Amino acid sequence: MTDQPSIVRVRDILAAEEPGSCVQVQGWVRTRRTSKAGLTFVEVNDGSSLANLQVVAEQALPNYEAISKLGTGASVEVRGEIVSSPAAGQAMELRAADIRVVGDSPDDYPLQKKRHSFEYLRTIAHLRARTNTFGAVARVRNEVSRCIHEYFQTRGYLYVHSPIITAIDAEGAGEMFQVTALDLENPPRRDGHVDYGRDLFEDRAYLAVSGQLEAEIMATAVGGVYTFAPTFRAENSNTFRHLSEFWMIEPEIAWCDLDRLQDIAEDFIKCIFASVLDRCPEDMRFFNDRIDSTAIETLESIVGSRFVRISYTEAVEILEKAVEANFQFPVSWGMDLQSEHERYLTEQTFRKPVIVTNYPRENKAFYMRVNDDGKTVAAMDVLVPRIGEIIGGSQREERYDRLREQMAARGMDPEAYWWYLDLRRYGTVPHAGFGLGLERTVQFITGMANIRDVIPFPRAPGLLSF
Ligand code: 4AD
Ligand code: MG
């Protein structure tokens, strides 16, 4: 029996230093060219790299007829020898000893050579991962995720899992999807209202907008934790930076104040950017060439410089003076900073990431720690050019009475949050945390214009396929 050569990824073949080894490759045909001289060149991609492997097939192969007609998108298994490539643009190619056509792909394959718009590709999300752009996005997204785990794992944080189904609104913004096992056509009623007591959880249930409150429980037991989970927002925002389902990383750190939290957030983001530059150079060159010609330079300069840190009050002062900007939403102390304001600060004023702290308490969530001025809370947002807010976080209100006041001011029912309040009754500690949006991070790194193109199967208003 002959030895089967081992299966090798395209990426490793292209990086091979020496020709000569016999290998097996499994992948999909990107293009095929058949010459009159009786040679067929098949570009095979297996997702391990942006670059394809050139496979050279000679007429002597028993199934040459089929090989010379291979369609784009077909799946093949190729055995052959790695040889130095005479062609420009690649060092190695594969001289085929055997090509097995595993699954043919007829002419109506939607990804023919021409370039497609991202809007169109969203309608074929089951195939778009086979394009250069979406393969590169998938690899960068994977690297960001890997690096996030490494960052926290090497610093002693525990990865914890917060529930997806919950009874409470952690952000208090009322943007929750409801979850029910009741028959919506005919729900049980009581006193004129739906009787959720007869639903599966015997209570009204929702999809979590955040895992923070549970992360606080864990942090006040073990010190430092992080979640990495999908979160859901029913907000009807049809923008280039909003999804209804997105992934959030939420570290929560006991014995931590807002100053240290800013240091951690800055270090964390720089680590992610540096890691992508280091480990995805080919994909980053692609984004730089095809999507945003400043992509690499932007990441490098962020990694090598310090973020700006200003208070909300200072930010408002800057924005009030920016008459030339002609904001759609006029600026005054107390207002929510809009996307246009965030972009002005990061793109015009400072041209780099900006951490804004100490926002007015009215606009922010109930759990944020009230500052001594009584008007602001120890909140922070990390803003970046183009995307605006990429991180939202705060020091938490650890004082029982203050937290009760914060809840009362928002008309919240303390009974529903009894366990959250308990954390302030039994061994309370100063603690702080933040949430990083995974998709906004990948969007910023790659320069992709729309957040729907950095997650394989986006969920947004009107978008549910796949
Ligand atoms: O500022 P947010 O709402 O903060 C929280 O949820 C806190 N519980 C975090 C914490 O302190 N543990 O959201 C955090 C981040 C935002 O900065 C943004 O990057 C991302 O989550 N985000 C979204 N990303 C995509 N689509 C949306 N609709 C998003 N909403 C927030
Ligand atoms: Mg926020």
Side-chain angles (χ1 to χ4, degrees):
M1 214 179 97
T2 50
D3 277 345
Q4 276 289 336
S6 51
I7 296 167
V8 178
R9 313 274 344 241
V10 165
R11 169 197 172 114
D12 298 324
I13 296 178
L14 296 175
E17 278 166 14
E18 302 260 303
S21 354
C22 285
V23 296
Q24 184 175 351
V25 170
Q26 300 166 320
W28 291 265
V29 174
R30 281 294 175 83
T31 60
R32 189 249 327 135
R33 182 167 56 85
T34 297
S35 77
K36 293 209 181 69
L39 281 181
T40 291
F41 301 90
V42 189
E43 297 278 323
V44 175
N45 191 287
D46 68 355
S48 61
S49 67
L50 187 75
N52 304 322
L53 174 67
Q54 171 154 293
V55 173
V56 185
E58 291 170 7
Q59 217 161 12
L61 292 176
N63 60 341
Y64 185 78
E65 174 72 11
I67 294 166
S68 68
K69 295 200 177 104
L70 268 175
T72 302
S75 51
V76 290
E77 225 164 35
V78 185
R79 279 191 300 111
E81 188 191 342
I82 302 179
V83 296
S84 302
S85 177
Q90 72 224 357
M92 299 292 167
E93 61 184 33
L94 197 65
R95 183 185 298 146
D98 177 65
I99 299 184
R100 192 160 87 84
V101 181
V102 178
D104 208 351
S105 177
D107 288 347
D108 61 354
Y109 183 61
L111 296 173
Q112 297 298 338
K113 243 204 146 182
K114 79 181 182 81
R115 262 178 116 168
H116 300 285
S117 73
F118 290 140
E119 286 74 20
Y120 170 67
L121 289 173
R122 259 172 242 149
T123 68
I124 51 165
H126 60 306
L127 295 171
R128 70 175 182 170
R130 299 184 189 185
T131 63
N132 285 339
T133 305
F134 290 89
V137 166
R139 285 184 295 272
V140 167
R141 189 179 163 108
N142 171 70
E143 173 53 26
V144 171
S145 306
R146 188 205 63 76
C147 166
I148 287 169
H149 282 296
E150 183 186 88
Y151 184 89
F152 292 119
Q153 291 296 326
T154 54
R155 286 164 179 78
Y157 292 71
L158 286 193
Y159 174 33
V160 298
H161 300 99
S162 51
I164 299 291
I165 301 178
T166 177
I168 52 163
D169 183 356
E171 292 302 306
E175 293 167 347
M176 305 216 287
F177 287 101
Q178 215 179 311
V179 177
T180 182
L182 293 178
D183 176 4
L184 287 181
E185 300 291 339
N186 186 24
R189 292 185 167 274
R190 191 173 167 181
D191 307 331
H193 294 283
V194 174
D195 184 5
Y196 290 105
R198 288 168 63 190
D199 203 347
L200 189 88
F201 299 109
E202 297 174 12
D203 198 355
R204 207 162 168 169
Y206 306 90
L207 293 180
V209 294
S210 156
Q212 177 197 319
L213 306 196
E214 289 85 359
E216 285 186 53
I217 296 180
M218 300 307 289
T220 54
V222 302
V225 301
Y226 68 104
T227 69
F228 190 150
T231 47
F232 308 87
R233 307 240 169 137
E235 177 189 16
N236 194 358
S237 283
N238 243 311
T239 82
F240 72 99
R241 57 173 210 160
H242 285 92
L243 290 167
S244 308
E245 173 178 307
F246 62 97
W247 287 69
M248 198 172 12
I249 298 89
E250 298 191 274
E252 190 67 37
I253 309 130
W255 317 100
C256 181
D257 65 9
L258 187 63
D259 281 336
R260 197 172 139 225
L261 190 70
Q262 292 178 71
D263 293 341
I264 294 170
E266 177 170 344
D267 184 52
F268 177 50
I269 288 184
K270 287 178 175 173
C271 245
I272 295 172
F273 292 179
S275 189
V276 171
L277 285 170
D278 183 41
R279 297 175 67 121
C280 303
E282 185 193 30
D283 293 317
M284 283 311 300
R285 271 197 306 276
F286 171 81
F287 289 118
N288 207 78
D289 290 345
R290 297 297 188 86
I291 306 293
D292 171 4
S293 62
T294 63
I296 292 179
E297 178 195 317
T298 301
L299 296 187
E300 284 173 348
S301 96
I302 290 177
V303 169
S305 71
R306 282 188 57 82
F307 291 8
V308 173
R309 299 185 187 189
I310 56 172
S311 68
Y312 168 88
T313 303
E314 288 165 323
V316 166
E317 280 164 16
I318 293 169
L319 294 167
E320 277 175 338
K321 286 188 198 127
V323 255
E324 83 287 358
N326 254 316
F327 294 127
Q328 187 192 343
F329 297 90
V331 181
S332 64
W333 200 97
M335 76 174 307
D336 249 342
L337 295 187
Q338 303 294 322
S339 171
E340 57 176 347
H341 307 130
E342 297 176 347
R343 294 188 65 163
Y344 186 87
L345 293 170
T346 53
E347 292 169 19
Q348 308 294 324
T349 314
F350 297 111
R351 297 173 188 277
K352 51 154 83 173
V354 179
I355 308 183
V356 180
T357 52
N358 301 319
Y359 284 78
R361 68 190 273 185
E362 274 78 23
N363 302 337
K364 288 289 185 183
F366 73 98
Y367 52 70
M368 297 188 176
R369 191 176 195 277
V370 179
N371 288 324
D372 291 344
D373 63 12
K375 292 191 307 198
T376 60
V377 285
M380 71 165 194
D381 277 1
V382 180
L383 314 178
V384 294
R386 196 165 63 85
I387 312 283
E389 179 191 338
I390 195 168
I391 279 182
S394 76
Q395 189 171 335
R396 317 307 188 188
E397 184 53 87
E398 86 285 11
R399 299 161 297 188
Y400 179 84
D401 293 335
R402 287 306 189 87
L403 184 59
R404 286 289 299 240
E405 283 165 31
Q406 282 274 75
M407 293 173 72
R410 289 165 179 77
M412 294 166 64
D413 174 15
E415 285 295 303
Y417 296 81
W418 62 274
W419 47 268
Y420 191 71
L421 285 158
D422 260 7
L423 300 179
R424 279 72 182 165
R425 292 179 60 215
Y426 307 121
T428 193
V429 286
H431 61 289
F434 63 78
L436 172 75
L438 178 66
E439 287 75 19
R440 288 194 186 172
T441 306
V442 177
Q443 201 185 350
F444 182 76
I445 291 173
T446 58
M448 292 293 286
N450 196 308
I451 197 166
R452 297 167 190 203
D453 299 328
V454 297
I455 183 166
F457 311 107
R459 300 288 177 252
L463 206 55
L464 186 62
S465 303
F466 312 102

